[in-house]
Amino acid sequence: MRTLVLNAGFEPLAVVSFRRALALVICGKAAVVEIVEDDPVWGVSVRYDRPSVIVLTRYVKVPYSRRIPVTRRGVLKRDLHRCAYCGAHATTIDHVVPRSRGGEDSWQNLVACCLACNSTKGNRTPAEIGWQLRITPRMPYGPGWAVRGAEGVVPQWEQYLAPAVAA
């Protein structure tokens, strides 16, 4: 069971275990915003609602200068699991400029790709075979991308992560 932690300004910060979230609430460092229905936590003499989303009572300054690391999962999520060449369901990633030609592992050079397009393209650039990219590859932005553990979004979290995912 995981809990989304929001800063005092309601921007997403992290995903923590429900035990850690409950400890923050009991200590008065956070308040419960959303709960998991019909799943309370019982203490010796008290009942606590299991938190799904909590908000910190004091604002925590977060350095947003940190770069979002390039990962296979991140590229597929950014491109909505759609092939950048044909639009089919993508299961792999492709280097627009092949690595053998100096292409690097960066947000600007990696796109989601289906198996058929990936093997057809091979060691060539899209221009060499007359293909156009359907998207412009770029680094995603927003707090939703910086929150670790937010990949498996719980329905109750969508309203807090939605502006960041729309990037």
Side-chain angles (χ1 to χ4, degrees):
M1 195 48 76
R2 301 173 314 149
T3 302
L4 177 65
V5 179
L6 304 174
N7 209 342
F10 278 81
E11 59 268 358
L13 275 182
V15 175
V16 298
S17 70
F18 92 90
R19 289 178 138 188
R20 175 69 179 137
L22 196 58
L24 289 170
V25 171
I26 291 171
C27 291
K29 295 181 180 183
V32 177
V33 177
E34 302 271 347
I35 62 170
V36 177
E37 297 293 327
D38 301 328
D39 197 11
V41 178
W42 292 92
V44 175
S45 62
V46 69
R47 173 185 173 258
Y48 297 102
D49 289 323
R50 190 178 298 262
S52 177
V53 180
I54 62 172
V55 61
L56 297 178
T57 55
R58 298 182 73 198
Y59 187 82
V60 176
K61 186 171 166 50
V62 179
Y64 276 109
S65 62
R66 58 185 168 184
R67 295 186 52 85
I68 300 166
V70 179
T71 61
R72 178 182 179 278
R73 183 180 294 170
V75 172
L76 289 169
K77 179 182 172 186
R78 177 199 65 189
D79 297 347
L80 304 173
H81 291 269
R82 292 282 157 222
C83 179
Y85 302 114
C86 70
H89 181 72
T91 54
T92 64
I93 59 173
D94 180 57
H95 290 80
V96 178
V97 176
R99 287 172 49 186
S100 63
R101 296 188 182 187
E104 51 189 39
D105 292 335
S106 67
W107 287 108
Q108 292 77 22
N109 192 45
L110 291 171
V111 293
C113 189
C114 67
L115 285 171
C117 289
N118 202 349
S119 36
T120 302
K121 181 179 169 284
N123 195 27
R124 298 175 286 186
T125 65
E128 290 175 350
I129 53 177
W131 287 3
Q132 294 257 341
L133 284 172
R134 293 173 168 254
I135 58 148
T136 303
R138 60 181 172 84
M139 185 174 86
Y141 61 92
W145 284 92
V147 176
R148 280 202 167 138
E151 290 86 29
V153 177
V154 176
Q156 292 172 324
W157 299 359
E158 288 178 0
Q159 64 181 349
Y160 304 103
L161 297 174
V165 174

PDB file of all heavy atoms in Angstrom, residues 41-72:
ATOM      1  N   VAL A  41      -6.759   1.174   9.801  1.00  0.00           N
ATOM      2  CA  VAL A  41      -5.657   0.602  10.569  1.00  0.00           C
ATOM      3  C   VAL A  41      -6.073   0.689  12.029  1.00  0.00           C
ATOM      4  O   VAL A  41      -6.445   1.765  12.510  1.00  0.00           O
ATOM      5  CB  VAL A  41      -4.350   1.385  10.327  1.00  0.00           C
ATOM      6  CG1 VAL A  41      -3.226   0.825  11.169  1.00  0.00           C
ATOM      7  CG2 VAL A  41      -3.982   1.364   8.862  1.00  0.00           C
ATOM      8  N   TRP A  42      -6.019  -0.437  12.728  1.00  0.00           N
ATOM      9  CA  TRP A  42      -6.441  -0.470  14.122  1.00  0.00           C
ATOM     10  C   TRP A  42      -5.244  -0.451  15.048  1.00  0.00           C
ATOM     11  O   TRP A  42      -4.318  -1.238  14.913  1.00  0.00           O
ATOM     12  CB  TRP A  42      -7.272  -1.725  14.401  1.00  0.00           C
ATOM     13  CG  TRP A  42      -8.596  -1.689  13.701  1.00  0.00           C
ATOM     14  CD1 TRP A  42      -8.893  -2.195  12.475  1.00  0.00           C
ATOM     15  CD2 TRP A  42      -9.785  -1.082  14.181  1.00  0.00           C
ATOM     16  NE1 TRP A  42     -10.197  -1.939  12.155  1.00  0.00           N
ATOM     17  CE2 TRP A  42     -10.774  -1.258  13.194  1.00  0.00           C
ATOM     18  CE3 TRP A  42     -10.124  -0.405  15.348  1.00  0.00           C
ATOM     19  CZ2 TRP A  42     -12.060  -0.780  13.349  1.00  0.00           C
ATOM     20  CZ3 TRP A  42     -11.411   0.058  15.491  1.00  0.00           C
ATOM     21  CH2 TRP A  42     -12.366  -0.128  14.498  1.00  0.00           C
ATOM     22  N   GLY A  43      -5.262   0.476  15.992  1.00  0.00           N
ATOM     23  CA  GLY A  43      -4.274   0.515  17.058  1.00  0.00           C
ATOM     24  C   GLY A  43      -4.846  -0.176  18.278  1.00  0.00           C
ATOM     25  O   GLY A  43      -5.898  -0.825  18.212  1.00  0.00           O
ATOM     26  N   VAL A  44      -4.213  -0.038  19.421  1.00  0.00           N
ATOM     27  CA  VAL A  44      -4.699  -0.671  20.643  1.00  0.00           C
ATOM     28  C   VAL A  44      -6.044  -0.088  21.053  1.00  0.00           C
ATOM     29  O   VAL A  44      -6.978  -0.811  21.385  1.00  0.00           O
ATOM     30  CB  VAL A  44      -3.659  -0.505  21.781  1.00  0.00           C
ATOM     31  CG1 VAL A  44      -4.200  -1.043  23.092  1.00  0.00           C
ATOM     32  CG2 VAL A  44      -2.367  -1.199  21.417  1.00  0.00           C
ATOM     33  N   SER A  45      -6.153   1.226  21.004  1.00  0.00           N
ATOM     34  CA  SER A  45      -7.398   1.843  21.456  1.00  0.00           C
ATOM     35  C   SER A  45      -7.958   2.868  20.469  1.00  0.00           C
ATOM     36  O   SER A  45      -8.870   3.609  20.812  1.00  0.00           O
ATOM     37  CB  SER A  45      -7.171   2.518  22.811  1.00  0.00           C
ATOM     38  OG  SER A  45      -6.202   3.542  22.656  1.00  0.00           O
ATOM     39  N   VAL A  46      -7.396   2.926  19.266  1.00  0.00           N
ATOM     40  CA  VAL A  46      -7.842   3.932  18.307  1.00  0.00           C
ATOM     41  C   VAL A  46      -7.836   3.345  16.894  1.00  0.00           C
ATOM     42  O   VAL A  46      -7.097   2.403  16.593  1.00  0.00           O
ATOM     43  CB  VAL A  46      -6.941   5.196  18.390  1.00  0.00           C
ATOM     44  CG1 VAL A  46      -5.560   4.907  17.868  1.00  0.00           C
ATOM     45  CG2 VAL A  46      -7.555   6.369  17.660  1.00  0.00           C
ATOM     46  N   ARG A  47      -8.679   3.905  16.056  1.00  0.00           N
ATOM     47  CA  ARG A  47      -8.781   3.480  14.649  1.00  0.00           C
ATOM     48  C   ARG A  47      -8.301   4.635  13.774  1.00  0.00           C
ATOM     49  O   ARG A  47      -8.720   5.776  13.953  1.00  0.00           O
ATOM     50  CB  ARG A  47     -10.231   3.160  14.331  1.00  0.00           C
ATOM     51  CG  ARG A  47     -10.500   2.881  12.897  1.00  0.00           C
ATOM     52  CD  ARG A  47     -12.015   2.708  12.683  1.00  0.00           C
ATOM     53  NE  ARG A  47     -12.306   2.596  11.295  1.00  0.00           N
ATOM     54  CZ  ARG A  47     -12.800   3.571  10.550  1.00  0.00           C
ATOM     55  NH1 ARG A  47     -13.085   4.741  11.064  1.00  0.00           N
ATOM     56  NH2 ARG A  47     -13.035   3.378   9.277  1.00  0.00           N
ATOM     57  N   TYR A  48      -7.405   4.341  12.816  1.00  0.00           N
ATOM     58  CA  TYR A  48      -6.907   5.347  11.879  1.00  0.00           C
ATOM     59  C   TYR A  48      -7.366   4.989  10.473  1.00  0.00           C
ATOM     60  O   TYR A  48      -7.342   3.815  10.090  1.00  0.00           O
ATOM     61  CB  TYR A  48      -5.370   5.402  11.880  1.00  0.00           C
ATOM     62  CG  TYR A  48      -4.765   5.814  13.190  1.00  0.00           C
ATOM     63  CD1 TYR A  48      -4.210   4.869  14.038  1.00  0.00           C
ATOM     64  CD2 TYR A  48      -4.742   7.149  13.564  1.00  0.00           C
ATOM     65  CE1 TYR A  48      -3.643   5.248  15.247  1.00  0.00           C
ATOM     66  CE2 TYR A  48      -4.173   7.534  14.772  1.00  0.00           C
ATOM     67  CZ  TYR A  48      -3.631   6.572  15.605  1.00  0.00           C
ATOM     68  OH  TYR A  48      -3.072   6.948  16.788  1.00  0.00           O
ATOM     69  N   ASP A  49      -7.764   6.008   9.711  1.00  0.00           N
ATOM     70  CA  ASP A  49      -8.059   5.767   8.300  1.00  0.00           C
ATOM     71  C   ASP A  49      -6.734   5.580   7.564  1.00  0.00           C
ATOM     72  O   ASP A  49      -5.757   6.277   7.835  1.00  0.00           O
ATOM     73  CB  ASP A  49      -8.826   6.950   7.700  1.00  0.00           C
ATOM     74  CG  ASP A  49     -10.247   7.029   8.221  1.00  0.00           C
ATOM     75  OD1 ASP A  49     -10.858   5.963   8.423  1.00  0.00           O
ATOM     76  OD2 ASP A  49     -10.731   8.156   8.420  1.00  0.00           O
ATOM     77  N   ARG A  50      -6.698   4.653   6.632  1.00  0.00           N
ATOM     78  CA  ARG A  50      -5.478   4.390   5.867  1.00  0.00           C
ATOM     79  C   ARG A  50      -5.330   5.495   4.818  1.00  0.00           C
ATOM     80  O   ARG A  50      -6.166   5.646   3.943  1.00  0.00           O
ATOM     81  CB  ARG A  50      -5.580   3.024   5.185  1.00  0.00           C
ATOM     82  CG  ARG A  50      -4.289   2.560   4.562  1.00  0.00           C
ATOM     83  CD  ARG A  50      -4.444   1.180   3.942  1.00  0.00           C
ATOM     84  NE  ARG A  50      -4.789   0.170   4.913  1.00  0.00           N
ATOM     85  CZ  ARG A  50      -3.910  -0.652   5.481  1.00  0.00           C
ATOM     86  NH1 ARG A  50      -2.638  -0.558   5.174  1.00  0.00           N
ATOM     87  NH2 ARG A  50      -4.300  -1.562   6.340  1.00  0.00           N
ATOM     88  N   PRO A  51      -4.246   6.292   4.891  1.00  0.00           N
ATOM     89  CA  PRO A  51      -4.105   7.424   3.964  1.00  0.00           C
ATOM     90  C   PRO A  51      -3.695   6.987   2.559  1.00  0.00           C
ATOM     91  O   PRO A  51      -2.850   6.124   2.388  1.00  0.00           O
ATOM     92  CB  PRO A  51      -3.016   8.275   4.609  1.00  0.00           C
ATOM     93  CG  PRO A  51      -2.236   7.335   5.451  1.00  0.00           C
ATOM     94  CD  PRO A  51      -3.177   6.245   5.866  1.00  0.00           C
ATOM     95  N   SER A  52      -4.310   7.608   1.564  1.00  0.00           N
ATOM     96  CA  SER A  52      -3.926   7.410   0.174  1.00  0.00           C
ATOM     97  C   SER A  52      -3.154   8.621  -0.332  1.00  0.00           C
ATOM     98  O   SER A  52      -2.225   8.496  -1.115  1.00  0.00           O
ATOM     99  CB  SER A  52      -5.158   7.189  -0.703  1.00  0.00           C
ATOM    100  OG  SER A  52      -4.785   7.075  -2.042  1.00  0.00           O
ATOM    101  N   VAL A  53      -3.548   9.820   0.150  1.00  0.00           N
ATOM    102  CA  VAL A  53      -2.867  11.076  -0.179  1.00  0.00           C
ATOM    103  C   VAL A  53      -2.767  11.890   1.105  1.00  0.00           C
ATOM    104  O   VAL A  53      -3.755  12.043   1.825  1.00  0.00           O
ATOM    105  CB  VAL A  53      -3.644  11.891  -1.243  1.00  0.00           C
ATOM    106  CG1 VAL A  53      -2.923  13.189  -1.555  1.00  0.00           C
ATOM    107  CG2 VAL A  53      -3.853  11.084  -2.505  1.00  0.00           C
ATOM    108  N   ILE A  54      -1.564  12.404   1.382  1.00  0.00           N
ATOM    109  CA  ILE A  54      -1.374  13.280   2.535  1.00  0.00           C
ATOM    110  C   ILE A  54      -0.711  14.574   2.072  1.00  0.00           C
ATOM    111  O   ILE A  54      -0.069  14.603   1.028  1.00  0.00           O
ATOM    112  CB  ILE A  54      -0.533  12.627   3.654  1.00  0.00           C
ATOM    113  CG1 ILE A  54       0.878  12.288   3.167  1.00  0.00           C
ATOM    114  CG2 ILE A  54      -1.230  11.413   4.229  1.00  0.00           C
ATOM    115  CD1 ILE A  54       1.817  11.826   4.274  1.00  0.00           C
ATOM    116  N   VAL A  55      -0.888  15.639   2.865  1.00  0.00           N
ATOM    117  CA  VAL A  55      -0.252  16.922   2.569  1.00  0.00           C
ATOM    118  C   VAL A  55       0.559  17.332   3.790  1.00  0.00           C
ATOM    119  O   VAL A  55       0.098  17.206   4.926  1.00  0.00           O
ATOM    120  CB  VAL A  55      -1.293  18.000   2.167  1.00  0.00           C
ATOM    121  CG1 VAL A  55      -2.278  18.273   3.282  1.00  0.00           C
ATOM    122  CG2 VAL A  55      -0.606  19.274   1.725  1.00  0.00           C
ATOM    123  N   LEU A  56       1.778  17.768   3.559  1.00  0.00           N
ATOM    124  CA  LEU A  56       2.638  18.203   4.655  1.00  0.00           C
ATOM    125  C   LEU A  56       2.121  19.511   5.232  1.00  0.00           C
ATOM    126  O   LEU A  56       1.575  20.352   4.512  1.00  0.00           O
ATOM    127  CB  LEU A  56       4.075  18.388   4.163  1.00  0.00           C
ATOM    128  CG  LEU A  56       4.768  17.131   3.638  1.00  0.00           C
ATOM    129  CD1 LEU A  56       6.168  17.476   3.136  1.00  0.00           C
ATOM    130  CD2 LEU A  56       4.843  16.053   4.707  1.00  0.00           C
ATOM    131  N   THR A  57       2.287  19.701   6.539  1.00  0.00           N
ATOM    132  CA  THR A  57       1.799  20.925   7.180  1.00  0.00           C
ATOM    133  C   THR A  57       2.765  22.087   6.974  1.00  0.00           C
ATOM    134  O   THR A  57       2.358  23.240   7.024  1.00  0.00           O
ATOM    135  CB  THR A  57       1.587  20.699   8.691  1.00  0.00           C
ATOM    136  OG1 THR A  57       2.800  20.200   9.259  1.00  0.00           O
ATOM    137  CG2 THR A  57       0.450  19.718   8.921  1.00  0.00           C
ATOM    138  N   ARG A  58       4.050  21.796   6.729  1.00  0.00           N
ATOM    139  CA  ARG A  58       5.045  22.833   6.462  1.00  0.00           C
ATOM    140  C   ARG A  58       5.602  22.634   5.065  1.00  0.00           C
ATOM    141  O   ARG A  58       5.793  21.511   4.621  1.00  0.00           O
ATOM    142  CB  ARG A  58       6.180  22.771   7.482  1.00  0.00           C
ATOM    143  CG  ARG A  58       5.669  23.016   8.897  1.00  0.00           C
ATOM    144  CD  ARG A  58       6.768  23.012   9.899  1.00  0.00           C
ATOM    145  NE  ARG A  58       7.537  24.250   9.737  1.00  0.00           N
ATOM    146  CZ  ARG A  58       8.748  24.427  10.211  1.00  0.00           C
ATOM    147  NH1 ARG A  58       9.337  23.480  10.880  1.00  0.00           N
ATOM    148  NH2 ARG A  58       9.380  25.564  10.020  1.00  0.00           N
ATOM    149  N   TYR A  59       5.895  23.732   4.397  1.00  0.00           N
ATOM    150  CA  TYR A  59       6.422  23.679   3.032  1.00  0.00           C
ATOM    151  C   TYR A  59       7.872  23.189   3.051  1.00  0.00           C
ATOM    152  O   TYR A  59       8.677  23.633   3.863  1.00  0.00           O
ATOM    153  CB  TYR A  59       6.344  25.054   2.364  1.00  0.00           C
ATOM    154  CG  TYR A  59       6.711  25.023   0.902  1.00  0.00           C
ATOM    155  CD1 TYR A  59       5.780  24.643  -0.045  1.00  0.00           C
ATOM    156  CD2 TYR A  59       7.984  25.353   0.475  1.00  0.00           C
ATOM    157  CE1 TYR A  59       6.103  24.597  -1.387  1.00  0.00           C
ATOM    158  CE2 TYR A  59       8.327  25.311  -0.857  1.00  0.00           C
ATOM    159  CZ  TYR A  59       7.374  24.928  -1.788  1.00  0.00           C
ATOM    160  OH  TYR A  59       7.709  24.870  -3.105  1.00  0.00           O
ATOM    161  N   VAL A  60       8.192  22.255   2.143  1.00  0.00           N
ATOM    162  CA  VAL A  60       9.546  21.738   2.002  1.00  0.00           C
ATOM    163  C   VAL A  60      10.100  22.242   0.685  1.00  0.00           C
ATOM    164  O   VAL A  60       9.505  22.015  -0.375  1.00  0.00           O
ATOM    165  CB  VAL A  60       9.549  20.192   2.012  1.00  0.00           C
ATOM    166  CG1 VAL A  60      10.939  19.647   1.766  1.00  0.00           C
ATOM    167  CG2 VAL A  60       8.989  19.670   3.318  1.00  0.00           C
ATOM    168  N   LYS A  61      11.234  22.942   0.756  1.00  0.00           N
ATOM    169  CA  LYS A  61      11.856  23.454  -0.466  1.00  0.00           C
ATOM    170  C   LYS A  61      12.530  22.308  -1.198  1.00  0.00           C
ATOM    171  O   LYS A  61      13.361  21.600  -0.647  1.00  0.00           O
ATOM    172  CB  LYS A  61      12.876  24.538  -0.123  1.00  0.00           C
ATOM    173  CG  LYS A  61      13.463  25.215  -1.334  1.00  0.00           C
ATOM    174  CD  LYS A  61      14.290  26.408  -0.903  1.00  0.00           C
ATOM    175  CE  LYS A  61      15.179  26.983  -1.926  1.00  0.00           C
ATOM    176  NZ  LYS A  61      14.795  27.315  -3.185  1.00  0.00           N
ATOM    177  N   VAL A  62      12.164  22.131  -2.471  1.00  0.00           N
ATOM    178  CA  VAL A  62      12.692  21.034  -3.273  1.00  0.00           C
ATOM    179  C   VAL A  62      13.494  21.611  -4.433  1.00  0.00           C
ATOM    180  O   VAL A  62      13.002  22.487  -5.148  1.00  0.00           O
ATOM    181  CB  VAL A  62      11.543  20.167  -3.839  1.00  0.00           C
ATOM    182  CG1 VAL A  62      12.081  19.050  -4.698  1.00  0.00           C
ATOM    183  CG2 VAL A  62      10.698  19.620  -2.717  1.00  0.00           C
ATOM    184  N   PRO A  63      14.714  21.131  -4.637  1.00  0.00           N
ATOM    185  CA  PRO A  63      15.499  21.626  -5.784  1.00  0.00           C
ATOM    186  C   PRO A  63      14.980  21.007  -7.079  1.00  0.00           C
ATOM    187  O   PRO A  63      15.188  19.840  -7.342  1.00  0.00           O
ATOM    188  CB  PRO A  63      16.920  21.148  -5.473  1.00  0.00           C
ATOM    189  CG  PRO A  63      16.731  19.953  -4.602  1.00  0.00           C
ATOM    190  CD  PRO A  63      15.459  20.181  -3.840  1.00  0.00           C
ATOM    191  N   TYR A  64      14.239  21.791  -7.883  1.00  0.00           N
ATOM    192  CA  TYR A  64      13.700  21.270  -9.139  1.00  0.00           C
ATOM    193  C   TYR A  64      14.702  21.362 -10.279  1.00  0.00           C
ATOM    194  O   TYR A  64      14.353  21.145 -11.423  1.00  0.00           O
ATOM    195  CB  TYR A  64      12.406  21.985  -9.529  1.00  0.00           C
ATOM    196  CG  TYR A  64      11.216  21.389  -8.840  1.00  0.00           C
ATOM    197  CD1 TYR A  64      10.559  22.070  -7.839  1.00  0.00           C
ATOM    198  CD2 TYR A  64      10.770  20.125  -9.168  1.00  0.00           C
ATOM    199  CE1 TYR A  64       9.483  21.522  -7.193  1.00  0.00           C
ATOM    200  CE2 TYR A  64       9.689  19.563  -8.526  1.00  0.00           C
ATOM    201  CZ  TYR A  64       9.044  20.263  -7.542  1.00  0.00           C
ATOM    202  OH  TYR A  64       7.982  19.703  -6.910  1.00  0.00           O
ATOM    203  N   SER A  65      15.948  21.678  -9.962  1.00  0.00           N
ATOM    204  CA  SER A  65      16.961  21.732 -11.005  1.00  0.00           C
ATOM    205  C   SER A  65      17.444  20.330 -11.376  1.00  0.00           C
ATOM    206  O   SER A  65      18.178  20.163 -12.338  1.00  0.00           O
ATOM    207  CB  SER A  65      18.138  22.578 -10.544  1.00  0.00           C
ATOM    208  OG  SER A  65      18.729  21.995  -9.401  1.00  0.00           O
ATOM    209  N   ARG A  66      17.017  19.331 -10.604  1.00  0.00           N
ATOM    210  CA  ARG A  66      17.474  17.976 -10.898  1.00  0.00           C
ATOM    211  C   ARG A  66      16.877  17.493 -12.219  1.00  0.00           C
ATOM    212  O   ARG A  66      15.721  17.724 -12.527  1.00  0.00           O
ATOM    213  CB  ARG A  66      17.134  17.037  -9.758  1.00  0.00           C
ATOM    214  CG  ARG A  66      15.672  16.983  -9.449  1.00  0.00           C
ATOM    215  CD  ARG A  66      15.407  16.135  -8.248  1.00  0.00           C
ATOM    216  NE  ARG A  66      14.016  16.359  -7.854  1.00  0.00           N
ATOM    217  CZ  ARG A  66      13.456  15.857  -6.811  1.00  0.00           C
ATOM    218  NH1 ARG A  66      14.135  15.077  -6.027  1.00  0.00           N
ATOM    219  NH2 ARG A  66      12.205  16.116  -6.534  1.00  0.00           N
ATOM    220  N   ARG A  67      17.703  16.823 -12.969  1.00  0.00           N
ATOM    221  CA  ARG A  67      17.282  16.326 -14.274  1.00  0.00           C
ATOM    222  C   ARG A  67      16.559  15.002 -14.116  1.00  0.00           C
ATOM    223  O   ARG A  67      16.885  14.213 -13.243  1.00  0.00           O
ATOM    224  CB  ARG A  67      18.494  16.158 -15.179  1.00  0.00           C
ATOM    225  CG  ARG A  67      19.173  17.485 -15.492  1.00  0.00           C
ATOM    226  CD  ARG A  67      20.287  17.339 -16.506  1.00  0.00           C
ATOM    227  NE  ARG A  67      19.896  16.642 -17.708  1.00  0.00           N
ATOM    228  CZ  ARG A  67      19.323  17.197 -18.764  1.00  0.00           C
ATOM    229  NH1 ARG A  67      19.047  18.473 -18.756  1.00  0.00           N
ATOM    230  NH2 ARG A  67      19.031  16.476 -19.831  1.00  0.00           N
ATOM    231  N   ILE A  68      15.618  14.772 -14.981  1.00  0.00           N
ATOM    232  CA  ILE A  68      14.886  13.508 -14.965  1.00  0.00           C
ATOM    233  C   ILE A  68      15.723  12.494 -15.725  1.00  0.00           C
ATOM    234  O   ILE A  68      16.061  12.703 -16.891  1.00  0.00           O
ATOM    235  CB  ILE A  68      13.502  13.687 -15.611  1.00  0.00           C
ATOM    236  CG1 ILE A  68      12.716  14.734 -14.821  1.00  0.00           C
ATOM    237  CG2 ILE A  68      12.762  12.372 -15.678  1.00  0.00           C
ATOM    238  CD1 ILE A  68      11.502  15.241 -15.513  1.00  0.00           C
ATOM    239  N   PRO A  69      16.107  11.389 -15.080  1.00  0.00           N
ATOM    240  CA  PRO A  69      16.966  10.418 -15.758  1.00  0.00           C
ATOM    241  C   PRO A  69      16.241   9.736 -16.919  1.00  0.00           C
ATOM    242  O   PRO A  69      15.042   9.478 -16.853  1.00  0.00           O
ATOM    243  CB  PRO A  69      17.320   9.415 -14.657  1.00  0.00           C
ATOM    244  CG  PRO A  69      16.269   9.578 -13.623  1.00  0.00           C
ATOM    245  CD  PRO A  69      15.783  10.995 -13.721  1.00  0.00           C
ATOM    246  N   VAL A  70      16.978   9.450 -17.978  1.00  0.00           N
ATOM    247  CA  VAL A  70      16.422   8.788 -19.152  1.00  0.00           C
ATOM    248  C   VAL A  70      16.319   7.296 -18.856  1.00  0.00           C
ATOM    249  O   VAL A  70      17.314   6.660 -18.506  1.00  0.00           O
ATOM    250  CB  VAL A  70      17.321   9.007 -20.389  1.00  0.00           C
ATOM    251  CG1 VAL A  70      16.741   8.299 -21.600  1.00  0.00           C
ATOM    252  CG2 VAL A  70      17.481  10.472 -20.668  1.00  0.00           C
ATOM    253  N   THR A  71      15.126   6.752 -18.989  1.00  0.00           N
ATOM    254  CA  THR A  71      14.910   5.322 -18.818  1.00  0.00           C
ATOM    255  C   THR A  71      14.000   4.819 -19.924  1.00  0.00           C
ATOM    256  O   THR A  71      13.266   5.600 -20.543  1.00  0.00           O
ATOM    257  CB  THR A  71      14.244   4.996 -17.465  1.00  0.00           C
ATOM    258  OG1 THR A  71      12.960   5.632 -17.414  1.00  0.00           O
ATOM    259  CG2 THR A  71      15.089   5.453 -16.287  1.00  0.00           C
ATOM    260  N   ARG A  72      14.057   3.529 -20.166  1.00  0.00           N
ATOM    261  CA  ARG A  72      13.187   2.916 -21.169  1.00  0.00           C
ATOM    262  C   ARG A  72      11.723   3.145 -20.805  1.00  0.00           C
ATOM    263  O   ARG A  72      10.906   3.543 -21.622  1.00  0.00           O
ATOM    264  CB  ARG A  72      13.506   1.418 -21.255  1.00  0.00           C
ATOM    265  CG  ARG A  72      12.655   0.662 -22.224  1.00  0.00           C
ATOM    266  CD  ARG A  72      13.021  -0.842 -22.183  1.00  0.00           C
ATOM    267  NE  ARG A  72      12.205  -1.580 -23.097  1.00  0.00           N
ATOM    268  CZ  ARG A  72      10.976  -1.996 -22.839  1.00  0.00           C
ATOM    269  NH1 ARG A  72      10.425  -1.725 -21.678  1.00  0.00           N
ATOM    270  NH2 ARG A  72      10.286  -2.657 -23.744  1.00  0.00           N
TER     271      ARG A  72
END
